[in-house]
């Protein structure tokens, strides 16, 4: 499994240098470098409105004794991300059912498999549902992953009704006594109308098979695309209210600052981060390690690895 340190090296390499220039040794910012600070936050794709608010608060706040401005900025960024409760696969009536949404290519299928692997490793018996029937290879890809991580997958033929596959996967989970169900879906942003209808249909189909399902709707966002991911999250949140965010490909990105926008605007917790392409490369999102890499602090990255 890659470490947070390795995974966030792009973020740190690209930004921490700029931040250490901005922050003087004692962590204070002079008036001139506030501009630089603003630019550096924008470079990391932190949304402009939030950057404006942060700069304003740093400018106007009375210095707190014993707290450097860097530390104050760190606390503000951490507060924006919040500290969600860890996911408890055993919550609610089983199976703990998660609908995975997001645009194609964001890392949905890989993430669905990683989640099944994670649940399996913590003693649960997961099953995967391949309701991405749009892409010919979608179901096949999930089936191969299911084999790799050692769990069952319910798939449909290419072009099959996605809602029917979702229904069948929940049916199978109930019949086989599985306690976690992860349902992968198709995501075609360019045709918002059909996407909306199909996703809502898939969501409804799960609720038809068992009341209250799915318990969770998690969106997979590609860390490498920056602010566009925030726009995607908004669109999907209108279609099916999101309950969590998974940030994929954080290992390849220095533009994940949009996460602050997602957390602030949509008030949806960031639950996991994808740090690579293997089954093990999904870890609970560590807000402190992320903020510290961004600001060039070393400590909590080391803490997260310990
Ligand atoms: P989908 O179309 O949304 O289902 O996306 P896929 O799961 O097929 O993933 C698209 C590509 O992103 C694949 O090549 C994956 O291996 C890659 N990928 C997914 N998650 C990660 C990650 O956390 N880190 C890296 N580096 N690559 C990832």
């Amino acid at each position: 499994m890659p470490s947070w340190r390795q995974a966030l090296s792009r973020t740190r390499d690209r930004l921490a240098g700029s931040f250490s220039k901005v922050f003087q040794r004692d962590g204070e910012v002079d008036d001139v470098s506030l501009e630089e600070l603003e630019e550096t936050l924008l470079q990391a794709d932190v949304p402009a409105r939030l950057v404006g608010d942060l700069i304003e608060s740093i400018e106007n706040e009375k210095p707190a004794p014993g707290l450097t401005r860097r530390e104050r900025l760190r606390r503000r960024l951490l507060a924006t991300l919040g500290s969600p409760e860890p996911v408890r696969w055993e919550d609610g009536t089983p199976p703990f059912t998660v609908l995975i949404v997001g645009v194609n290519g964001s890392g949905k299928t890989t993430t669905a498999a990683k989640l099944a692997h994670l649940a399996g490793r913590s003693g649960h018996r997961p099953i995967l549902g391949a309701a991405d029937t749009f892409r010919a290879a979608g179901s096949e890809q999930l089936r191969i992953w299911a084999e790799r991580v050692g769990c069952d997958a319910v798939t449909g033929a290419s072009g099959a009704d996605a809602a029917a596959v979702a229904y069948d996967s929940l049916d199978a989970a109930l019949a086989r006594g599985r306690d976690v169900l992860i349902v992968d879906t198709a995501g075609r942003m360019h045709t918002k109308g059909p996407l909306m209808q199909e996703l809502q249909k898939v969501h409804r189909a799960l609720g038809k098979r068992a009341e209250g399902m799915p318990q969770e709707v998690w969106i997979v966002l590609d860390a490498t695309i920056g602010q566009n991911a925030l726009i995607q999250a908004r669109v999907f949140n209108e279609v099916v209210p999101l309950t969590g965010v998974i940030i994929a490909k954080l290992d390849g990105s220095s533009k994940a600052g949009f996460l602050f926008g997602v957390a602030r605007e949509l008030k949806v917790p960031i639950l996991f981060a994808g740090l690579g392409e293997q089954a093990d490369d999904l870890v609970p999102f560590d807000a402190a390690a992320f903020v510290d890499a961004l600001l060039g602090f070393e400590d909590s990255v080391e803490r997260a690895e310990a």
Side-chain angles (χ1 to χ4, degrees), residues 83-106:
S83 43
E85 294 288 312
V87 167
R88 289 168 42 84
W89 302 104
E90 50 283 341
D91 274 357
T93 312
F96 185 84
T97 300
V98 184
L99 191 62
I100 299 292
V101 304
V103 303
N104 286 344
S106 60

Side-chain angles (χ1 to χ4, degrees), residues 99-100 108 128-135 138-139 142 154-156 160-167 169 182-188 198-199 202 206:
L99 191 62
I100 299 292
K108 273 190 317 295
L128 282 161
D132 176 2
T133 52
F134 179 69
R135 276 187 310 156
S139 296
L142 198 72
V154 173
T155 60
D161 178 10
V165 177
Y167 185 99
S169 64
I182 314 282
V183 181
D184 188 20
T185 61
R188 285 158 284 152
E198 183 176 295
L199 259 190
V202 168
L206 291 166

